Amino acid sequence: MSDVRYVLGDTETTGAGPGHKAVEIAWVELDSDLQVLNRVHSLIDPERPISAGASGVHGIVAADVTEAPTLEEFFTILEPNAFVHPTVFCAHKVDFDLPYFKPYIPNLVGTLCTLKLARRYLLDAE
């Protein structure tokens, strides 16, 4: 597929368990030749408290996101055409990040987990 895009995505969230919301989202979009097409980053209003544990990991606190868009506002108003091409979503621990992106990727054709790749091919890494 020559028009496929590779989206290298990441999120920071209000916590690690089910029901938590994004507080930051970012991605780099690459074409099939791995040329950078777009870089996107935004803080996100999660519309709920950010756990102290999560803030300790990513450093984002409630005051940082008070003026930020919600995730839905971000994708429907600020980035409404973010993923119009067939998209392979890539992330370090893809199962964690994908749920925040998937509702907005209508042409998801695959995923790639860099954590699984690292564990398989970088055997000497910590």
Side-chain angles (χ1 to χ4, degrees), residues 43-55:
L43 290 171
I44 299 294
D45 178 358
E47 302 180 291
R48 68 179 53 193
I50 302 169
S51 74
S55 287

Side-chain angles (χ1 to χ4, degrees), residues 9 12 18 39 44 54 63 81 84 86 88 95 106-107 109 117 122 126:
E12 299 298 343
R39 295 170 203 256
I44 299 294
N81 299 310
V84 296
V88 175
D95 291 340
N107 300 307
V109 296
L117 287 172
L122 302 175
E126 293 181 19

Side-chain angles (χ1 to χ4, degrees), residues 4-8 28-32 34 86-90:
V4 70
R5 300 294 194 256
Y6 298 89
V7 171
L8 289 64
V28 174
E29 182 180 357
L30 308 174
D31 66 14
S32 59
L34 304 181
T87 301
V88 175
F89 182 76
C90 311

